[in-house]
Structure formats: structure tokens, C-alpha cells
Amino acid sequence: MIAVLKQDATIDQREHLISWLKEQGLDVHISVGREHTVLGLVGDTGKIDVELLQSLSIVESVKIISEPFKKVNRKFHPDNSVIDVPDCDVRIGDGSCVLIAGPAVIESREQLMSIARKVKEAGASVLHGDAFKPRTSPYAFQGLGREGIDILLEVKRETGLPVMSEIVNTNHIALYEDVDIIQVSSRSMQNYELLKELGTLRKPVLLKRGAANTLKELLMSAEYIMDGGNESIILCERGIRTWDFSDGAARNTLDISSVPALHEMTHLPVIVDPSHATGVASMVEPMALAAAACGADGLMIEVHDDPLHALCDGAQALTPEQFSAAAEKVRRVRSVLF
Ligand code: PEP
Ligand code: MN
């Protein structure tokens, strides 16, 4: 349930109402927007006399939120949430299109350092590289583990780029203390114990949509993180499995309409990963441009110096030169449209 307050409500009146609502056992979430202050009420709202609440002089309207996701709901927080990546000037959801780039997996210090310098030069503001890799095959390279995180942090210190890396296990959380954005990949989107733990942190989490999950399920997973008190969540569309009318031309189907759909449903920023969505390097730039044009708050793109010999996802990796050309086109699209 939400209560929209009148513009002339004073802070005293508002606080008085909030303490009364809390006495009724409700959790009250305040969103002070440009036009309205919205009180989001979570808990057993059945106890509330809606007519009484509606009749108060400072209340403009009371609405029931019928969707199961509450705190991530746009109705709860009408303005966009802007996610500040701590200790750097990266903001996601502020109207810009943030570029996150790097290899699928960290292979060595030299590999990551070389790619990091090149993607930074090309305009990426966050470096991605995984140390723990859930692979379809148990025989495929599983990542360097802890050593990979050490390499990532060393490259962060040397290049000044904030870093993002995937987490697969709640036992690993301590390893991510200096990782700037924790990534939850599509395979882990419904690992609710992991999401609950991430909810206790005060650190940005990038939550990828599962390959077979609906937008509502994605938002319910985000709700788990936000319910724990961590409000720094970035959503990521990375392609879904659906009827394959492309006859296998692309690895997945990029559900580009999820960007405007999610922007209506939630206040959280939405980025697009055209690399996993297509699985084919030649399709990455066109899909990146489509995502930039439809208002994505960022792009996550895989880049490798030597895609042919990459230990993971080489077929979809752009070379640094290709990434640089794509990044330039993304900037041109954004400057024309936004
Ligand atoms: C990744 O981004 O490194 C990854 C594994 O992607 P996804 O979860 O989208 O498959
Ligand atoms: Mn990958």
C-alpha cells in the first residue's frame, strides 16, 4: 500500500503520521520525490483503516499495490533510483549509459591488465572479470578463484577502474570486500539464500535475469536484496530462452522490450548485456546500439585481446578495437537521442 502526501504537508505532520503507521506494526519506506512524497507501507496493511488514512488532511491518495514486488516497485518510489558506486564517480541510472567491459573470465594478471587499460581508454567506467565461473561443463575452465580476485583488485589499484565480479556462493562474501559491484549471474538469480546475504551488504549488486525467468520473477529476486536493506541494485537483461526463430543464429533472444517494461515497473536502473544475449561477436555492436537507443542505463560487453584463444566465451568477445568503435557509436546514439 502507498500513501501519497499532499505537497503542503509539513515535516512534523509527516513524522506524526509515520510514527502512527509504525505503531500499527508497519514498515514505512519514505520516498521524497520531485513532485510528491510517497510513503510505502509494508507488512499487514489489512490492519489499516484505508478510509481513515485517506481522510487525513495531509494525505492526497492511498493506493493498494497489487504486484507482489513492493520496495522495487515504481509506485513505491516514483523517481529513478541512481546507484552510486562508492569511492568513484560512477553513477548508474542518472540518464547516462555506463559502459562495463572486460573478459568473461580472468585468465592471468597480464591478460586482465592489458584489457583493462584498453577498455578504460575506450570509455569503459567499470571493469568486469570473473574469478568464479559457473560453467555448463564440469570439465570447462572454472576460473582462478581467490587468485582471480587478487588479480582483479591489483588491476583496480593500478588502473583506477572500479571492478565488478560474479559471486557464486555466500561463503565467498568476505572476498568481495573491495570489489565495487557484486554480480549475480543468470544461473544464480533465484539463489534466495545468496540474495538475502547480499541484502545485508551496503554495496551495489548487479542482478542478471535468468535465462528462463519472467520480469516479475526478476523483480521478486531484487525485492529479496532490497528487503534486507541494500537498495543499490542494478538489473541486467542478458537474453532469454524462448522459441528459437533464429535457428540457432544467436545464443539467446535479447528481450529488448524488457528495458522499457522494467523502467515502467521499477525505479531501479536497467542495463543490457548484448554479449551473452547473442553469443556472437558480430551481433554485439548492433544490439548494444539498440539497447542504448531504447534507454538502457548501461551496457555490459565482453572484451578479449585474443578471442580465438579465450578460455571462456571467445565467440562473443569483441577485440579492444571493436569495443572502442562500438563505444563511440553508443555515445553518438545517446547524444542524438538523449
Ligand atoms: C557473466 O556475465 O559473466 C555471465 C556468466 O553471464 P550470464 O549469467 O548472463 O550467463
Ligand atoms: Mn561470459
Side-chain angles (χ1 to χ4, degrees):
M1 183 185 287
I2 57 167
V4 182
L5 303 190
K6 287 187 183 155
Q7 266 181 338
D8 58 4
T10 66
I11 293 182
D12 271 358
Q13 287 173 312
R14 186 176 84 193
E15 291 310 311
H16 189 68
L17 175 58
I18 291 172
S19 49
W20 178 73
L21 290 163
K22 285 188 174 163
E23 279 164 24
Q24 314 300 305
L26 295 178
D27 185 12
V28 183
H29 190 276
I30 310 154
S31 167
V32 182
R34 273 172 314 208
E35 303 199 345
H36 288 112
T37 295
V38 174
L39 302 184
L41 314 179
V42 185
D44 184 3
T45 50
K47 285 187 194 148
I48 297 292
D49 180 341
V50 178
E51 280 177 15
L52 174 69
L53 186 59
Q54 179 84 69
S55 71
L56 299 178
S57 64
I58 63 164
V59 174
E60 189 172 287
S61 60
V62 178
K63 292 182 195 138
I64 307 287
I65 297 186
S66 49
E67 295 87 358
F69 49 92
K70 311 287 179 196
K71 294 180 179 172
V72 304
N73 201 310
R74 170 74 75 183
K75 291 173 191 157
F76 228 71
H77 187 288
D79 289 342
N80 291 336
S81 279
V82 178
I83 309 305
D84 261 306
V85 184
D87 307 323
C88 61
D89 57 7
V90 177
R91 290 161 62 80
I92 306 178
D94 65 352
S96 62
C97 183
V98 171
L99 298 178
I100 303 175
V105 63
I106 300 163
E107 297 171 13
S108 67
R109 182 188 178 282
E110 294 65 37
Q111 173 239 23
L112 191 66
M113 190 68 82
S114 165
I115 297 171
R117 290 196 203 287
K118 291 172 190 166
V119 297
K120 183 177 182 187
E121 175 76 30
S125 43
V126 178
L127 174 69
H128 166 261
D130 287 338
F132 294 92
K133 232 27 234 172
R135 304 298 299 275
T136 308
S137 166
Y139 310 118
F141 179 54
Q142 305 283 311
L144 294 175
R146 287 161 197 265
E147 188 196 340
I149 297 285
D150 290 344
I151 292 173
L152 185 67
L153 296 178
E154 196 185 329
V155 173
K156 169 182 164 167
R157 281 191 297 274
E158 288 222 10
T159 61
L161 275 175
V163 295
M164 176 170 93
S165 200
E166 168 168 6
I167 193 162
V168 292
N169 190 325
T170 51
N171 297 332
H172 292 165
I173 282 184
L175 290 175
Y176 289 73
E177 193 172 335
D178 295 322
V179 172
D180 302 277
I181 304 176
I182 299 186
Q183 176 179 328
V184 176
S185 279
S186 53
R187 289 169 176 82
S188 306
M189 190 203 92
Q190 289 179 306
N191 180 343
Y192 299 119
E193 291 307 311
L194 178 61
L195 301 178
K196 282 186 210 166
E197 283 294 323
L198 296 176
T200 66
L201 306 182
R202 296 295 174 266
K203 180 189 279 292
V205 174
L206 179 108
L207 179 64
K208 297 188 94 173
R209 179 182 181 185
N213 287 111
T214 64
L215 298 184
K216 200 188 273 179
E217 287 164 347
L218 172 64
L219 292 175
M220 291 311 292
S221 290
E223 188 85 7
Y224 265 93
I225 302 171
M226 197 169 277
D227 191 46
N230 186 355
E231 301 189 346
S232 295
I233 307 166
I234 305 141
L235 303 173
C236 179
E237 165 60 45
R238 48 76 74 202
I240 51 169
R241 281 206 179 152
T242 176
W243 292 280
D244 181 15
F245 293 125
S246 82
D247 286 331
R251 182 174 175 178
N252 292 294
T253 299
L254 176 57
D255 180 10
I256 196 81
S257 62
S258 68
V259 177
L262 286 168
H263 277 152
E264 283 183 24
M265 296 162 87
T266 178
H267 50 88
L268 297 174
V270 183
I271 75 160
V272 169
D273 170 355
S275 305
H276 292 89
T278 62
V280 182
S282 63
M283 296 184 196
V284 171
E285 182 189 287
M287 292 299 97
L289 297 178
C294 79
D297 300 289
L299 296 164
M300 160 174 185
I301 297 181
E302 288 194 348
V303 179
H304 200 285
D305 270 327
D306 183 5
L308 214 56
H309 295 101
L311 295 184
C312 178
D313 286 345
Q316 68 197 33
L318 298 189
T319 62
E321 296 69 33
Q322 289 168 333
F323 173 71
S324 177
E328 180 51 31
K329 287 190 195 169
V330 165
R331 284 190 287 274
R332 289 200 340 240
V333 164
R334 298 293 290 202
S335 71
V336 171
L337 298 181
F338 296 95

